Amino acid sequence: MPHRMLFVAFAFALAASSSANAATAQEPAPITLSAANAVSPVSLPAGVTSVLRLETNPSTGYAWQVVEAANLRVDEPFEVTRDPATPNGMVGAPESAAIRITPRGKGPAALKLVYKQAWRDTTPDDRTLSFVFVVE
């Protein structure tokens, strides 16, 4: 009888382990996006945070700002990193903004960004990027 209980316990442990491994093996990977993705719809996995990387130059006062985020959570402030090859203190050197987005649910989603100085009003001359997503 003790061998039978040990076998049943082992079987449950094995089943739990394999189902946990199956769940992690099927977990979709985050997607890295760029300005090039603004030209056509992009498929995003539901509930997975992806990163949009855009060139920025904060030393000039310009930064990416969210105009609209439909069916997306956008983590702010954006992480800005400098290219390690850029000398310290070099003003005007381009940097990279990492914009983390997470779909709220399945279906259509959209993100519109504007690149401008925060103290100025938005004008038609400001650079804008519009992204369309299909969340699956």
Side-chain angles (χ1 to χ4, degrees), residues 64-69 111-116 122 128-129:
W64 289 102
Q65 298 172 25
V66 176
V67 175
E68 175 189 356
L111 177 64
K112 183 175 181 180
L113 301 167
V114 64
Y115 188 65
K116 69 180 210 74
T122 302
T128 60
L129 289 174

Side-chain angles (χ1 to χ4, degrees), residues 60-108:
T60 62
Y62 280 85
W64 289 102
Q65 298 172 25
V66 176
V67 175
E68 175 189 356
N71 194 27
L72 293 172
R73 185 188 81 222
V74 181
D75 296 341
E76 295 186 76
F78 307 143
E79 178 185 344
V80 177
T81 55
R82 177 172 272 224
D83 183 339
T86 303
N88 283 336
M90 184 175 188
V91 178
E95 299 183 24
S96 176
I99 302 168
R100 298 188 192 304
I101 58 172
T102 308
R104 295 188 187 279
K106 293 186 177 188

Side-chain angles (χ1 to χ4, degrees), residues 32-82:
T32 300
L33 305 161
S34 70
N37 295 108
V39 296
S40 60
V42 176
S43 292
L44 292 180
V48 175
T49 299
S50 295
V51 179
L52 171 60
R53 295 200 178 277
L54 298 174
E55 189 174 293
T56 187
N57 196 333
S59 66
T60 62
Y62 280 85
W64 289 102
Q65 298 172 25
V66 176
V67 175
E68 175 189 356
N71 194 27
L72 293 172
R73 185 188 81 222
V74 181
D75 296 341
E76 295 186 76
F78 307 143
E79 178 185 344
V80 177
T81 55
R82 177 172 272 224

Side-chain angles (χ1 to χ4, degrees), residues 20-28:
N21 288 340
T24 56
Q26 295 173 359
E27 185 86 12

